[in-house]
Amino acid sequence: MKTEALLTDPVFQLNLLLWMAKEQPSVDCRVRPLFFERGFKIIYIENPFPFPEETARAMRDLGLDISEAPEPELILGRERDSRALYFEAKANSFGIASPNSRQARAHLIATGPVFGEVLSPLKACLLCYVVPDGARKRMSECLIALSDELQSKGLKPGPFSCHGLAVSGTKIVYSWDSIFKDHVGATEDAVPIIDDVAEDTDPAPLLLVFSDEDCCNIEMRDFYRRVVIDQVRAWLLSDLHSHALGEKYETSPDNLLTKTTDGVFQYLGRERQKGLRKLVRENIFKKIADYWKDKQSGVTLVGNQLVVTWSVIGEKDDFLNWLEDRRMRFDASTPPVDLFDRLDADRKGV
């Protein structure tokens, strides 16, 4: 995919931010860990911000168009000074009349004084909007207008900062403003976060987490699901190659997703975890169990657990040869909605 276009892709934007917050080797890092270098660690990924009831009531009483469950891309925290960063990434800037302003108002309130009530001991929080670099100025103007509006209604929005992503030569550059510099103690205005990119960039190696809700492009949705499936397949193969004859191997979607994401899965919001868990169970585990049910009695799916026990010589080779065969492809489409999903959606009014 064209690198410039990737910088507007919400899935790629989120995963860039995650790599910037992850500990990595000091040399040959995939993405410069800009936030980790400054002492920040992941708190939540795509998890709704729970306003205290008093704040939620005040928002409702004013009659403003504000979301009561804003869902930031990422929240980072720094223990030494209780500072936090609250990220929202967008493909472009928007104006105050945009539907996006409904959630932007909520993000501004969430990063005000109420933030410390909800996520204590973290206190001082900065809302960071990440957009393509050319859209930073207009994004800042929108947030200024929304912040002024909220203050005029007696609400207490937090401080905000606008960050930019851009391709410069063979580098992807991340830039920010003076508000961010003061908040985190940075000295630069911009740094390269990836040093060697071509006109076309394969986003697959940088994918840690994904959800259909984050991607409006159907083709890219299918692509990202395929990447997740291939990552899980690779880890499953690695585990099973070292699995001995006669021993019971048991794994779950959560176990494999924790491995493929290098632990990031645990920070993901409940609904996003649920989607990835279901993708692994329905598109990988279920196909394995269905294919082998009449061929190897030791291969079963029990709830969310894939169980493999090889008791006869040759079973392991047969199974691994099948799993390694690239002609055998797992379905990368969205798993079907089951009764419990539908009931849950109805309960939430979806």
Side-chain angles (χ1 to χ4, degrees):
M1 187 175 179
K2 297 293 184 185
T3 303
E4 287 280 4
L6 269 179
L7 297 188
T8 68
D9 179 271
V11 176
F12 188 72
Q13 289 174 328
L14 170 60
N15 282 277
L16 275 183
L17 293 172
L18 290 174
W19 280 102
M20 292 163 70
K22 265 175 45 61
E23 183 176 9
Q24 296 178 65
S26 56
V27 293
D28 297 328
C29 57
R30 290 193 173 186
V31 179
R32 179 175 171 179
L34 177 69
F35 307 129
F36 183 85
E37 289 172 352
R38 286 161 174 77
F40 288 92
K41 296 182 179 180
I42 298 171
I43 305 297
Y44 290 125
I45 305 165
E46 296 190 313
N47 199 53
F49 185 88
F51 284 116
E53 179 53 36
E54 183 180 351
T55 303
R57 190 184 314 113
M59 290 159 55
R60 287 193 296 269
D61 290 346
L62 288 171
L64 286 174
D65 188 18
I66 307 177
S67 169
E68 289 189 28
E71 190 174 282
E73 252 75 55
L74 175 66
I75 294 178
L76 304 180
R78 186 163 66 185
E79 185 177 348
R80 69 171 184 259
D81 57 7
S82 300
R83 294 194 170 224
L85 298 171
Y86 178 117
F87 289 92
E88 179 71 1
K90 291 294 179 188
N92 206 342
S93 58
F94 53 87
I96 59 172
S98 166
N100 288 323
S101 289
R102 183 173 190 271
Q103 184 156 249
R105 291 184 181 94
H107 290 324
L108 284 162
I109 296 171
T111 50
V114 73
F115 184 87
E117 294 181 42
V118 175
L119 289 178
S120 178
L122 294 174
K123 296 176 183 175
C125 184
L126 180 66
L127 171 60
C128 303
Y129 260 79
V130 181
V131 292
D133 195 54
R136 282 174 62 196
K137 183 175 184 295
R138 185 165 180 260
M139 189 70 253
S140 180
E141 291 169 351
C142 176
L143 293 174
I144 290 171
L146 291 173
S147 182
D148 289 346
E149 174 194 59
L150 293 171
Q151 290 184 67
S152 73
K153 298 292 185 179
L155 296 172
K156 297 178 179 179
F160 57 85
S161 175
C162 291
H163 301 190
L165 288 166
V167 176
S168 178
T170 61
K171 302 177 186 294
I172 293 178
V173 177
Y174 189 85
S175 55
W176 53 86
D177 53 25
S178 59
I179 299 171
F180 179 79
K181 288 172 68 174
D182 291 342
H183 189 78
V184 306
T187 56
E188 317 101 311
D189 295 309
V191 295
I193 54 172
I194 301 180
D195 288 328
D196 188 16
V197 295
E199 183 179 351
D200 293 314
T201 296
D202 178 8
L206 295 180
L207 187 70
L208 291 166
V209 296
F210 160 75
S211 70
D212 281 1
E213 294 85 350
D214 293 331
C215 193
C216 58
N217 183 312
I218 294 175
E219 183 179 341
M220 287 303 294
R221 236 184 261 167
D222 292 342
F223 169 80
Y224 285 128
R225 278 195 299 269
R226 170 60 58 198
V227 173
V228 172
I229 285 169
D230 287 346
Q231 289 174 340
V232 170
R233 179 181 188 162
W235 269 107
L236 185 58
L237 273 166
S238 176
D239 283 355
L240 288 172
H241 268 290
S242 59
H243 177 55
L245 191 70
E247 294 183 0
K248 181 180 179 181
Y249 171 82
E250 190 169 3
T251 193
S252 66
D254 289 45
N255 178 46
L256 292 173
L257 287 165
T258 297
K259 293 178 179 180
T260 63
T261 65
D262 195 21
V264 168
F265 180 74
Q266 67 180 307
Y267 301 105
L268 200 58
R270 179 175 173 272
E271 289 302 310
R272 298 298 199 264
Q273 283 189 347
K274 182 180 176 181
L276 281 173
R277 185 181 295 123
K278 185 174 182 181
L279 176 65
V280 173
R281 186 195 186 281
E282 297 299 314
N283 293 42
I284 302 177
F285 287 6
K286 193 170 186 301
K287 175 163 184 174
I288 290 172
D290 287 348
Y291 181 85
W292 289 99
K293 64 182 178 181
D294 296 324
K295 301 176 179 67
Q296 291 188 13
S297 61
V299 179
T300 58
L301 180 58
V302 182
N304 276 345
Q305 302 290 118
L306 178 68
V307 180
V308 178
T309 306
W310 295 308
S311 54
V312 178
I313 293 175
E315 284 187 337
K316 178 176 181 177
D317 287 343
D318 290 345
F319 186 97
L320 292 179
N321 288 338
W322 173 81
L323 190 58
E324 287 175 334
D325 189 344
R326 285 296 169 177
R327 293 173 298 178
M328 190 285 297
R329 287 174 66 82
F330 291 104
D331 181 15
S333 63
T334 304
V337 176
D338 59 30
L339 175 61
F340 294 106
D341 288 334
R342 187 68 264 159
L343 289 173
D344 193 40
D346 290 343
R347 178 177 58 81
K348 295 175 181 177
V350 176

